[in-house]
Amino acid sequence: MDVVFSGLSALVVDGVTDEGEVIRVSARTRDDPVPCPVCGQPTGRVHGFHGRVVADVPVDGRRVVASVRVRRLVCPVLGCPRQTFREQVPGVVERYQRRTNRLADQLGCVVKELAGRAGARLSRVLACAISRSTALRMLMRRAAPPLRVPRVLGIDDFALKRRHRYATVIIDAETGERIDVLPDRTAQTLVAWLREHP
């Protein structure tokens, strides 16, 4: 169980149930004190419990659903504006999410390569179906890679419509990656672009 459900290691797994197409994992948070999100004072005083249902990485081609019981805790500081709060499970599932972090990372890699409808079709084959709209939302949520400053620029003009309309393309001469396309081929436009991007 520790190998298959290693992504849920921050939780205490109470049981695993085989329901045919779905494997249900019953888990709860540990009984450790948790700091208040406002004042930072640690507390272990339980006010109540709350259930969360999150999807996890498929096992043996079947969906995995984790039913997680989290605690609602009472802040020990009397003047704290947050009197009660739900504990979070960092590293496993983020606030308001319905997928574990490792499932979200896997689906993120799929939608990064395929996006939209193709990503949704592949997710069904991988037993963690998402819609094309969800695939696009996940793609838009991913952080853009940091821009690399090129050492050598390649600049060339090309015809959009021969003898009537031209444009300029700027590429990274070392990697061949396109950096920008300018609307015309005049020197003034290129100089202005170079001043904006030192």
Side-chain angles (χ1 to χ4, degrees), residues 11-24:
L11 301 169
V12 176
V13 176
D14 291 330
V16 178
T17 309
D18 183 358
E19 298 177 358
E21 292 293 316
V22 176
I23 298 173
R24 187 167 304 277

Side-chain angles (χ1 to χ4, degrees), residues 24-94:
R24 187 167 304 277
V25 178
S26 299
R28 60 183 166 81
T29 56
R30 300 187 186 279
D31 295 331
D32 301 332
V34 176
C36 173
V38 176
C39 66
Q41 186 69 29
T43 182
R45 194 170 136 207
V46 178
H47 181 268
F49 295 97
H50 173 71
R52 288 187 71 177
V53 178
V54 293
D56 195 23
V57 176
V59 173
D60 193 29
R62 295 186 289 173
R63 292 186 316 127
V64 174
V65 176
S67 298
V68 182
R69 188 185 77 167
V70 295
R71 300 176 295 172
R72 178 174 281 282
L73 300 169
V74 177
C75 181
V77 178
L78 293 176
C80 183
R82 179 74 65 84
Q83 294 178 354
T84 64
F85 61 93
R86 285 187 192 139
E87 66 180 324
Q88 299 300 314
V89 191
V92 176
V93 64
E94 298 301 322

Side-chain angles (χ1 to χ4, degrees), residues 147-153 155 168 170-171 178-183 188-198:
L147 294 175
R148 193 177 73 75
V149 178
R151 288 186 330 107
V152 182
L153 288 178
I155 300 171
T168 303
I170 302 173
I171 64 165
R178 180 180 51 84
I179 297 170
D180 204 351
V181 177
L182 304 180
Q188 294 84 6
T189 306
L190 179 61
V191 169
W193 188 90
L194 289 171
R195 285 200 176 113
E196 287 176 19
H197 302 88

Side-chain angles (χ1 to χ4, degrees), residues 62-172:
R62 295 186 289 173
R63 292 186 316 127
V64 174
V65 176
S67 298
V68 182
R69 188 185 77 167
V70 295
R71 300 176 295 172
R72 178 174 281 282
L73 300 169
V74 177
C75 181
V77 178
L78 293 176
C80 183
R82 179 74 65 84
Q83 294 178 354
T84 64
F85 61 93
R86 285 187 192 139
E87 66 180 324
Q88 299 300 314
V89 191
V92 176
V93 64
E94 298 301 322
R95 186 181 297 260
Y96 306 119
Q97 298 302 308
R98 294 181 182 204
R99 292 178 195 84
T100 59
N101 289 350
R102 65 184 188 158
L103 178 60
D105 290 343
Q106 281 188 1
L107 288 173
C109 292
V110 169
V111 300
K112 179 183 171 197
E113 297 299 325
L114 298 175
R117 287 190 175 108
R121 282 194 303 269
L122 183 60
S123 72
R124 272 187 238 110
V125 172
L126 297 174
C128 48
I130 58 173
S131 68
R132 68 174 193 252
S133 301
T134 303
L136 292 175
R137 274 194 308 276
M138 291 179 80
L139 181 63
M140 297 303 287
R141 197 178 303 135
R142 289 182 67 88
L147 294 175
R148 193 177 73 75
V149 178
R151 288 186 330 107
V152 182
L153 288 178
I155 300 171
D156 195 10
D157 61 338
F158 63 97
L160 294 169
K161 185 176 180 187
R162 199 177 244 9
R163 288 191 225 97
H164 294 283
R165 198 161 158 230
Y166 290 88
T168 303
V169 64
I170 302 173
I171 64 165
D172 183 344

